[in-house]
Amino acid sequence: MMRHSEARAATLVEALPYLQRFADQTIVIKYGGHAMVDEQLKASFAADITLLKQVGINPVIVHGGGPQIGQLLKKIGKEAKFIEGMRVTDSETMDIVEMVLAGLVNKEIVANINKAGGKAVGLSGKDGGLICARKMQMERNAPELDVPEIIDLGHVGKVHSINTAILELLDRDRFIPVIAPVGYHKSEGHSYNINADLVAGAIAEALGAAKLILLTDVPGVLNREKELISKLSASETNGLIEDGTIAGGMIPKVQCCLDAVASGVGQAHIIDGRVPHALLLEIFTDEGVGSVFSQD
């Protein structure tokens, strides 16, 4: 049996080709789920991000914050309303969303990374014109109408464009960007709440990232026997969507990954953020811990 010290050395040797491959490359990470709540997982995530930067990889973090938004809305007595999983965001709710995402959650992540020895800077999509947003129009089939029903979700947006200048500036000075998914429409003067997966995907595409990694509360894509599928091509993934193996809330996450690789991102991953150091295990080991998507 391999001694403990030999096993640790073998792990480091296994990481070497990945360290060489991803040196000076950008990896965009969507940070969300249980990894943002559990104190030990928050500390391990901050350590992982700091290590990535230390070895010459450029991590860019986009975070969510839905549960924290819900908690504050409940405290002030404002009822949260959802339509088909999308938060209806009126002007008052948008103020709460921006306060929680760009303030409370963002600064906690920044502080955790800085405590771990990194140099993190918190941003929202409004800083430096980073995320130019447009209002999202939601359509729903209405049997009584000849055309789909248009649902107004308020200040819910989609990414129109990404201005990477501020991210490139931070990278040159060895800072780690931590981005709240709040976009801005300059001519309208409106802020928009945008799904963090979509923001991460758009930023990965704009930066030509080597990887897009979505941290979730599931192991990855599972087959019908509930076993992890570690590697998927675009055609295989679409087949699993068509036969119902991939369903529900996994579909938009998987589609985000497919869109990213179709737009030039090297690989996209869905990994289990509940696993300590999941990022390092996925990036630097042969087996990984989640599902990786690539072009056919």
Side-chain angles (χ1 to χ4, degrees):
M1 182 179 294
M2 186 180 294
R3 292 194 301 270
H4 182 61
S5 59
E6 293 174 337
R8 293 173 68 181
T11 300
L12 292 172
V13 171
E14 182 182 353
L16 177 59
Y18 299 102
L19 290 166
Q20 294 170 327
R21 177 180 175 186
F22 297 119
D24 296 322
Q25 298 292 308
T26 296
I27 294 178
V28 178
I29 301 140
K30 185 292 180 101
Y31 180 38
H34 198 66
M36 287 183 64
V37 178
D38 181 273
E39 291 301 324
Q40 289 185 327
L41 291 175
K42 288 194 286 187
S44 70
F45 175 82
D48 290 355
I49 294 297
T50 302
L51 188 150
L52 290 176
K53 194 69 174 182
Q54 188 66 41
V55 299
I57 295 171
N58 304 318
V60 175
I61 302 162
V62 179
H63 64 83
Q68 294 90 333
I69 294 168
Q71 289 169 10
L72 186 53
L73 287 172
K74 186 176 181 179
K75 279 186 179 180
I76 66 172
K78 187 171 180 62
E79 182 181 358
K81 183 179 179 182
F82 292 86
I83 298 177
E84 296 185 11
M86 301 291 290
R87 184 188 299 276
V88 178
T89 308
D90 59 19
S91 295
E92 184 181 25
T93 302
M94 187 64 225
D95 289 341
I96 299 296
V97 166
E98 192 163 4
M99 181 169 61
V100 172
L101 290 181
L104 179 65
V105 175
N106 186 273
K107 301 316 173 189
E108 182 187 28
I109 299 168
V110 168
N112 287 341
I113 294 171
N114 290 343
K115 182 180 178 181
K119 295 199 308 178
V121 174
L123 304 166
S124 82
K126 297 168 75 171
D127 293 311
L130 174 58
I131 304 172
C132 178
R134 293 291 185 270
K135 184 181 178 67
M136 177 181 284
Q137 293 287 354
M138 186 182 204
E139 295 185 356
R140 183 166 59 184
N141 289 331
E144 68 278 10
L145 301 175
D146 294 331
V147 294
E149 178 186 8
I150 304 298
I151 299 172
D152 187 359
L153 296 170
H155 290 260
V156 175
K158 59 183 179 179
V159 176
H160 176 70
S161 62
I162 299 292
N163 177 7
T164 61
I166 190 169
L167 301 180
E168 292 161 356
L169 179 64
L170 291 172
D171 177 42
R172 285 197 297 270
D173 288 335
R174 308 299 298 161
F175 286 100
I176 301 167
V178 179
I179 302 165
V182 175
Y184 189 67
H185 192 300
K186 186 176 180 180
S187 61
E188 291 180 356
H190 291 159
S191 298
Y192 287 101
N193 181 23
I194 310 176
N195 178 278
D197 291 347
L198 299 181
V199 171
I203 290 175
E205 294 169 20
L207 292 172
K211 288 181 180 291
L212 166 67
I213 301 178
L214 307 182
L215 268 70
T216 66
D217 285 343
V218 295
V221 176
L222 305 180
N223 62 21
R224 291 190 178 275
E225 288 71 42
K226 304 303 179 183
E227 299 166 331
L228 178 68
I229 305 174
S230 58
K231 295 181 180 180
L232 285 160
S233 67
S235 58
E236 289 169 338
T237 304
N238 287 324
L240 292 174
I241 294 173
E242 290 173 6
D243 71 15
T245 301
I246 298 173
M250 280 297 287
I251 292 178
K253 290 185 179 297
V254 165
Q255 192 60 56
C256 176
C257 290
L258 294 182
D259 291 344
V261 296
S263 299
V265 176
Q267 291 180 321
H269 306 249
I270 295 176
I271 69 173
D272 193 343
R274 300 169 299 181
V275 176
H277 304 293
L279 273 176
L280 301 186
L281 292 169
E282 183 66 12
I283 296 169
F284 294 134
T285 66
D286 295 333
E287 291 186 3
V289 293
S291 299
V292 58
F293 301 82
S294 58
Q295 280 286 74
D296 293 331

